Amino acid sequence: MTRKVSTPVETAAAARTAPAVIVAIDGPSGTGKSSTSKAVAAQLGLSYLDTGAQYRAITWWMVSNGIDITDPSAIADAADKSEIVSGTDPSGPTITVDGTDVAGPIRTEEVTSKVSAVSAVPEVRTRITELQRSIAAGAEVGIVVEGRDIGTTVLPDADLKVFLTASPEARAARRSGELKGADVAATRESLIQRDAADSGRKTSPLAKAGDAVEVDTTDLTLQQVIECVVTLVEEKRAAK
């Protein structure tokens, strides 16, 4: 069966007439979460929010301003001192801190190694969660929000919840490819440590919502994952 691919104009027109839908996509790193979320949002004319980028942004700000990342109290005291603005266009999502474009700097290994510690602090999660809910509420055409606690904590009433998974080996191979030849074994170990930190934190841990649809992406191509999620969203739209 051949799937019709809509033109950008057709997609925009459909988005204006279709019921607004809020989609929560959760899962650990390396499952194809970001690529899938952006593509689904673009294809269906929805807004897009990478919540992980927001936690990376606040981590980058703290590192840049000399906040002691090993001191939860210091992190808590600085939780509301930066202005984080997320652009929600899936074709070109942006992230700024105090007016500075940080899309590149937040992806450094230094930020990656510290983001779990910062995001585990309750005051940080409260501040960022409020920001995320505000953005989702303002998305008139609907939105795809990706992260680790969207379906469980941030948007528990989302119209559709998807939880992406994949084997540690597949995730490590994908992530090392993104990092241009990083050691796969070391990347796998880093991902497992990140999973443990995110799943074990007391405040809003990484977890699958009870009513989420789980999609194992280990043996699927990115396009297959996208098509699967698009179908799920279209089914939800049709039922509204």
Side-chain angles (χ1 to χ4, degrees), residues 27-28 116 119-120 148 163 171 191-208:
S116 285
S119 61
R148 286 171 167 74
F163 192 84
R171 293 166 53 209
L191 288 173
I192 290 174
Q193 290 177 358
R194 176 79 189 272
D195 289 350
D198 290 347
S199 300
R201 64 177 176 240
K202 293 182 179 180
T203 305
S204 301
L206 164 66
K208 174 189 170 186

Side-chain angles (χ1 to χ4, degrees), residues 150-239:
I150 310 307
T152 54
T153 301
V154 180
L155 300 170
D157 296 324
D159 298 296
L160 172 67
K161 302 172 188 177
V162 178
F163 192 84
L164 300 184
T165 65
S167 70
E169 291 74 21
R171 293 166 53 209
R174 292 168 185 168
R175 183 49 54 91
S176 62
E178 293 171 2
L179 298 176
K180 299 180 181 179
D183 180 79
V184 176
T187 301
R188 179 181 182 277
E189 185 61 28
S190 176
L191 288 173
I192 290 174
Q193 290 177 358
R194 176 79 189 272
D195 289 350
D198 290 347
S199 300
R201 64 177 176 240
K202 293 182 179 180
T203 305
S204 301
L206 164 66
K208 174 189 170 186
D211 55 348
V213 178
E214 183 170 327
V215 178
D216 188 335
T217 70
T218 301
D219 298 317
L220 300 178
T221 65
L222 174 60
Q223 190 55 44
Q224 288 173 325
V225 179
I226 293 167
E227 290 178 359
C228 174
V229 178
V230 164
T231 298
L232 291 170
V233 176
E234 290 178 331
E235 290 174 349
K236 281 294 180 181
R237 273 180 165 176

Side-chain angles (χ1 to χ4, degrees), residues 2-8 10-11 43 223 227:
T2 302
R3 186 183 185 88
K4 181 182 181 293
V5 178
S6 301
T7 66
E10 291 172 332
T11 297
Q43 187 167 326
Q223 190 55 44
E227 290 178 359

Side-chain angles (χ1 to χ4, degrees), residues 6-181:
S6 301
T7 66
V9 172
E10 291 172 332
T11 297
R16 286 193 294 270
T17 58
V21 61
I22 294 179
V23 182
I25 299 184
D26 290 309
S29 299
T31 55
K33 200 165 65 249
S34 294
S35 298
T36 298
S37 298
K38 281 187 283 190
V40 169
Q43 187 167 326
L44 297 178
L46 302 173
S47 296
Y48 161 75
L49 178 61
D50 176 1
T51 63
Q54 295 175 319
Y55 283 105
R56 285 176 173 273
I58 197 168
T59 300
W60 173 86
W61 182 90
M62 292 193 181
V63 170
S64 300
N65 285 273
I67 306 301
D68 184 356
I69 303 302
T70 65
D71 183 354
S73 296
I75 294 173
D77 290 342
D80 61 353
K81 292 185 178 179
S82 58
E83 180 185 26
I84 298 171
V85 178
S86 297
T88 58
D89 180 350
S91 64
T94 58
I95 181 87
T96 63
V97 178
D98 296 336
T100 299
D101 179 0
V102 296
I106 65 173
R107 302 295 172 182
T108 63
E109 179 56 35
E110 181 177 27
V111 171
T112 298
S113 66
K114 294 178 170 60
V115 67
S116 285
V118 173
S119 61
V121 176
E123 288 81 358
V124 170
R125 298 209 73 82
T126 296
R127 186 271 173 99
I128 300 298
T129 295
E130 289 174 352
L131 176 59
Q132 292 162 358
R133 287 174 176 163
S134 175
I135 293 171
E140 295 182 359
V141 297
I143 191 168
V144 178
V145 184
E146 61 141 310
R148 286 171 167 74
D149 65 340
I150 310 307
T152 54
T153 301
V154 180
L155 300 170
D157 296 324
D159 298 296
L160 172 67
K161 302 172 188 177
V162 178
F163 192 84
L164 300 184
T165 65
S167 70
E169 291 74 21
R171 293 166 53 209
R174 292 168 185 168
R175 183 49 54 91
S176 62
E178 293 171 2
L179 298 176
K180 299 180 181 179

